[in-house]
Amino acid sequence: EIVLTQSPATLSVSPGERATLSCRASQSVSGSVAWYQQKPGQAPRLLIFGASFRSTGIPARFSGSGSETDYTLTISSLQSEDFAVYYCQHYNNWPRTTFGQGTTVESK
Amino acid sequence: EVQLVESGGGLVKPGGSLKLSCAASGFNFSTYSMNWVRQAPGKGLEWVSSISSRSTYMHYPDSVKGRFTISRDNAKNSLYLQMDSLTVEDTAVYYCVRDTQFLGYDYWGQGILVTVSS
C-alpha cells in the first residue's frame, strides 16, 4: 500500500501570506494526486486533481505541483476562509486509494 | 444540481450490523463509479469501498474486507453499504462520494454518523 505523508501537521499563517503544503508518497504515484479542503462539520471539497488541475470553481490562488513522489499545494495569498484541514489523495491504483493524514492551516 | 444524501446511520452494538443508503440526484448516476469514505472522530479520511458503474467490480481495503458489502441500484439512483461484524473502530462519519476516476472525488454527501458502542 502506498503511504502518503503530509507536512507540516500544522501550518500557522497570517492572512495574505503564502502557504505551502507538502505531500510525499512512499513510491511514485505518477501525478495521480488530488487535494481536498475540509472545514469543521463539512464534507471535504475537491481543490486539485491530476496534481495541478484546479477543480471547477476553485480560486486561482490555489495551485498544485509535483511529480513522482513529491507534491505541493500552494495558497498564494491566504484568505480568512482558507483556514481548514487539507488532505492529499493518490489514485495511482484506482479505484484503490489512500489519503494523507492532513495538514491544518491555522491563523497565526 | 448534484446531490448525495446519506441515511441509515445510528448507534449499534459491537458485532451488530447496519446498512447505509445514499440517494443520488442531479446527474446520470448509472455512468459513475461510487465510493464510501469514512472519517473517525478527530481523524483523517479513509477509503472504505468502491463500486463500478454497472456493479461489475467492487473493491475494499483490508480493514473492512469480508465485513462490508457495497452495492447499488441504478434504477433507484441509490448506493448502499452493508456493514456487518461492526467494531468500535468502525465508529465514524461515512460519506457517499462520486468518483470521476482520474479527476478526483468531485461530489461528497454531507455524511452520516455511525457509532458502534455497547
Side-chain angles (χ1 to χ4, degrees):
Chain A
E1 177 184 291
I2 296 174
V3 176
L4 299 181
T5 302
Q6 292 188 240
S7 61
T10 303
L11 186 62
S12 298
V13 186
S14 297
E17 288 186 338
R18 183 185 194 89
T20 302
L21 289 66
S22 174
C23 177
R24 175 164 288 178
S26 56
Q27 64 190 74
S28 175
V29 292
S30 306
S32 298
V33 168
W35 290 90
Y36 300 85
Q37 176 194 67
Q38 188 179 33
K39 297 179 180 179
Q42 296 184 17
R45 177 174 71 144
L46 175 65
L47 300 176
I48 301 287
F49 63 89
S52 62
F53 298 92
R54 274 190 303 278
S55 185
T56 305
I58 300 305
R61 64 180 181 273
F62 291 92
S63 63
S65 63
S67 63
E68 304 297 337
T69 59
D70 292 307
Y71 298 87
T72 300
L73 175 70
T74 301
I75 310 172
S76 59
S77 177
L78 206 77
Q79 305 298 301
S80 57
E81 61 267 30
D82 300 334
F83 294 111
V85 180
Y86 292 83
Y87 294 95
C88 61
Q89 175 203 28
H90 92 82
Y91 43 92
N92 193 51
N93 301 329
W94 185 88
R96 296 182 175 279
T97 184
T98 55
F99 294 88
Q101 81 280 16
T103 290
T104 299
V105 176
E106 65 176 22
S107 180
K108 194 172 188 180
Chain B
E1 179 194 5
V2 172
Q3 285 198 313
L4 299 168
V5 180
E6 302 94 341
S7 60
L11 176 63
V12 61
K13 287 183 167 50
S17 298
L18 206 60
K19 186 173 184 177
L20 304 182
S21 300
C22 171
S25 61
F27 67 102
N28 191 349
F29 179 74
S30 65
T31 64
Y32 285 86
S33 293
M34 296 294 295
N35 298 272
W36 290 96
V37 174
R38 69 183 180 185
Q39 186 169 36
K43 302 297 184 183
L45 302 170
E46 180 187 16
W47 167 70
V48 170
S49 58
S50 174
I51 187 167
S52 59
S53 60
R54 298 184 179 184
S55 304
T56 306
Y57 303 106
M58 285 77 79
H59 296 270
Y60 309 89
D62 289 344
S63 58
V64 307
K65 196 171 186 178
R67 300 188 300 121
F68 288 13
T69 303
I70 190 172
S71 62
R72 66 191 294 163
D73 185 336
N74 286 345
K76 295 183 177 180
N77 289 340
S78 292
L79 177 72
Y80 306 100
L81 184 67
Q82 175 67 45
M83 303 184 292
D84 299 320
S85 303
L86 286 162
T87 73
V88 294
E89 287 75 33
D90 295 316
T91 294
V93 173
Y94 285 73
Y95 294 100
C96 169
V97 186
R98 190 175 86 165
D99 192 339
T100 62
Q101 192 168 348
F102 301 117
L103 307 184
Y105 288 359
D106 63 345
Y107 284 96
W108 298 62
Q110 83 285 356
I112 191 85
L113 177 62
V114 171
T115 302
V116 184
S117 175
S118 54

